[in-house]
């Protein structure tokens, strides 16, 4: 991995080489030994006065004939432009943007799985559109037996958040639900399902100070997103008009992003292809009520927690020799609501909302309308 020269004192730092130097400083060993360490994340500071011929300067400061940063490439590493004015202070943002992107994809896919509908109901089919996510699609459910049903749908979506914008994303979702309806008014249920976004196009932005001036670097990439989940809970048919349910859920998501280069370059960064993943545990409650003979309402809320989040590239350097802070796990709320008006016994007009709240950069709400047909 070669250094890139930048004029007027700018320079690029190859993350793996800088981290390897940090390990050398901590161990006092040779450059070759330092660059082959398994854990080379201690901070260190080295001066590179003109930013040219980075590898040769690195070798000179280490007092060896040759530095071989290629031996330290044991992770996917993001190479990012820096300046003496800490242009890299915000380079940990791409990891957080990828994390937010995965969570938003999950929120949108839940609409296709009937997140705003009761646990047990008749066969139905719905066409919908929403803003906040600019999503449009169809979803429905079909009862295979008295206890087993299948649910799913397809949507084309555009959505955005801090540091990213997805301009094209077809989302598919499918799930099986086993509801022990023959137990009576109080009974367990379980869902098993999966989601897929086989092709998505994303735009990533990163803002920082470059020689004291605000600079925004922009990168565009293609990729895909997949998820699998299991959900279990207990449903209570309190009256002929009320259904209450409590549940827990475990969700696993993977997101693949192809390599991209930020513009302008310099001082933009180069990010390799990566695979990101995270798990989500959620506990929630929902309530559906029929008012009179024509108005339906539904509310759901849950608290979710990410864990074992992994971004496919290193948290890039916040400054020369200093690793950026680790990516934080999130605790946040997911919520949904629906008001439906029964135009006829078989046709219902719905207005709904879904979103997430409690983490600042992740806050979002998606509002839409749907026409639902029962059969």
């Amino acid at each position: 991995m070669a250094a890139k020269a930048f004029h007027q004192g700018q320079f690029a730092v190859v993350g793996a080489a800088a981290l390897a130097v940090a390990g050398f400083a901590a161990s006092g060993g040779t450059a070759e030994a330092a660059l082959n360490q398994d854990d080379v994340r201690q901070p260190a500071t080295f001066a590179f006065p003109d930013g040219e011929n980075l590898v040769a300067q690195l070798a000179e400061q280490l007092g060896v004939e040759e530095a071989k940063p290629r031996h330290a490439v044991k992770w996917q590493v993001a190479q990012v432009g820096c300046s003496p004015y800490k242009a890299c202070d915000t380079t940990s943002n791409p990891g957080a943007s990828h994390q937010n992107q995965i969570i938003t994809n999950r929120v949108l896919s839940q609409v296709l799985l009937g997140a705003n509908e009761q646990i047990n109901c008749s066969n139905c089919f719905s066409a919908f559109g929403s803003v906040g996510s600019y999503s449009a699609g169809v979803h429905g459910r079909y009862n295979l037996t008295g206890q087993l049903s299948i649910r799913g749908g397809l949507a084309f979506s555009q959505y955005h958040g801090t540091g990213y914008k997805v301009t094209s994303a077809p989302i598919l979702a499918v799930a099986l639900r086993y509801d022990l309806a023959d137990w009576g008014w109080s009974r367990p249920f379980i869902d098993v399902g999966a989601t897929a976004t086989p092709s998505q196009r994303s735009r990533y932005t990163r803002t920082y100070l470059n020689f004291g001036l605000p600079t925004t670097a922009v990168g565009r990439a293609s990729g895909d997103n997949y998820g699998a989940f299991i959900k279990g809970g207990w449903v209570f048919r309190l009256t002929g008009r009320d259904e209450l349910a409590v549940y827990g859920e475990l969700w696993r998501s993977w997101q693949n992003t192809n390599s991209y280069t930020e513009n302008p370059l310099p001082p933009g960064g180069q990010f390799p292809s990566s695979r990101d993943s995270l798990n989500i545990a959620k506990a929630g409650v929902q309530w559906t009520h029929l008012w009179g003979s024509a108005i339906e309402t539904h509310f759901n809320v849950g608290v979710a927690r990410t864990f074992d989040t992994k971004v496919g590239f290193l948290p890039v350097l916040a400054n020369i020799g200093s690793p950026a802070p680790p990516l934080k796990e999130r605790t946040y709320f997911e919520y949904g609501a629906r008001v439906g008006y029964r135009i006829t016994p078989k046709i219902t007009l719905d207005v709904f909302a879904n979103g997430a709240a409690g983490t600042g950069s992740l806050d979002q709400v998606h509002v839409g309308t749907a026409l639902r047909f029962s059969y």
Side-chain angles (χ1 to χ4, degrees), residues 8-280:
Q8 297 179 350
Q10 289 179 309
F11 49 86
V13 175
V14 180
L19 290 174
V21 172
F24 174 86
S27 67
T30 64
E32 185 74 16
L35 294 170
N36 277 292
Q37 291 187 73
D38 289 332
D39 188 4
V40 287
R41 296 172 181 264
Q42 296 91 352
T45 301
F46 290 84
F48 301 98
D50 59 9
E52 296 185 359
N53 198 5
L54 177 60
V55 174
Q57 292 181 61
L58 175 60
E60 180 180 354
Q61 295 208 24
L62 291 176
V64 297
E65 292 184 2
E66 182 183 6
K68 300 178 179 179
R70 64 180 179 274
H71 294 307
V73 181
K74 295 185 178 180
W75 313 276
Q76 291 280 32
V77 179
Q79 176 180 318
V80 183
C82 304
S83 81
Y85 293 90
K86 296 184 179 180
C88 295
D89 276 351
T90 59
T91 57
S92 60
N93 283 354
S97 297
H98 284 215
Q99 185 187 48
N100 290 350
Q101 184 178 346
I102 295 173
I103 294 173
T104 301
N105 183 281
R106 162 189 151 83
V107 171
L108 294 175
S109 67
Q110 288 182 317
V111 175
L112 304 177
L113 297 169
N116 293 329
E117 298 170 1
Q118 63 200 73
I119 299 298
N120 186 285
C121 66
S122 60
N123 301 332
C124 64
F125 171 86
S126 177
F128 70 92
S130 68
V131 296
S133 60
Y134 304 106
S135 183
V138 295
H139 73 94
R141 72 166 68 197
Y142 182 77
N143 295 312
L144 301 172
T145 70
Q147 291 86 23
L148 184 65
S149 63
I150 185 170
R151 297 168 295 124
L154 167 67
F156 180 84
S157 302
Q158 297 179 345
Y159 52 96
H160 64 276
T162 302
Y164 76 92
K165 181 177 182 179
V166 177
T167 58
S168 173
I171 303 176
L172 301 91
V174 64
L176 290 172
R177 169 170 292 163
Y178 191 68
D179 174 17
L180 294 173
D182 53 346
W183 281 32
W185 72 276
S186 173
R187 59 189 187 267
F189 72 93
I190 187 170
D191 293 353
V192 177
T195 65
T197 305
S199 175
Q200 63 182 10
R201 302 189 66 84
S202 306
R203 178 178 182 268
Y204 298 104
T205 58
R206 182 173 60 89
T207 303
Y208 53 89
L209 292 179
N210 182 48
F211 287 92
L213 298 176
T215 302
T216 298
V218 179
R220 291 175 171 82
S222 59
D224 48 59
N225 187 303
Y226 301 94
F229 71 94
I230 183 169
K231 175 179 177 180
W234 207 273
V235 58
F236 305 89
R237 192 73 183 192
L238 302 176
T239 71
R241 296 175 176 270
D242 293 275
E243 183 193 84
L244 178 70
V246 294
Y247 58 87
E249 184 176 353
L250 285 175
W251 190 291
R252 171 76 170 176
S253 290
W254 302 266
Q255 179 170 271
N256 299 306
T257 304
N258 293 327
S259 60
Y260 65 93
T261 299
E262 294 177 331
N263 291 311
L265 181 65
Q270 296 176 331
F271 292 83
S273 299
S274 64
R275 169 170 289 184
D276 314 317
S277 62
L278 62 79
N279 301 311
I280 296 176

